[in-house]
Amino acid sequence: MNYGIGTKIATLRKQKDITQEEMANAIGTSAQAISKWERGKNYPDIELLPIIADFFGTTIDNLFR
């Protein structure tokens, strides 16, 4: 099981109490992509990292902690 960025995204998303679909709409991707990230099946494109960090009000570095 992956305990990297996908786990961090899932944790931050749940803290904001939003669905994968709501997050997907906000950052311009699909809910299926977010599901794959959270399950460790795939990773966000590097171009999305600043968008994801901004969405959660954090840094890119923090996404990997």
Side-chain angles (χ1 to χ4, degrees):
M1 181 156 208
N2 175 32
Y3 292 105
I5 189 169
T7 301
K8 185 68 169 201
I9 289 171
T11 300
L12 291 170
R13 182 181 60 77
K14 290 171 186 173
Q15 286 174 352
K16 281 189 87 154
D17 195 30
I18 59 169
T19 65
Q20 290 176 342
E21 183 144 346
E22 289 168 330
M23 180 180 169
N25 290 337
I27 67 168
T29 192
S30 69
Q32 292 83 0
I34 293 172
S35 175
K36 287 180 182 179
W37 301 342
E38 291 182 357
R39 291 182 290 127
K41 302 291 182 190
N42 208 340
Y43 300 98
D45 290 335
I46 195 164
E47 296 88 10
L48 280 177
L49 294 179
I51 296 167
I52 294 167
D54 186 57
F55 178 75
F56 289 122
T58 191
T59 64
I60 294 171
D61 286 348
N62 190 47
L63 294 176
F64 290 95
R65 292 185 187 158

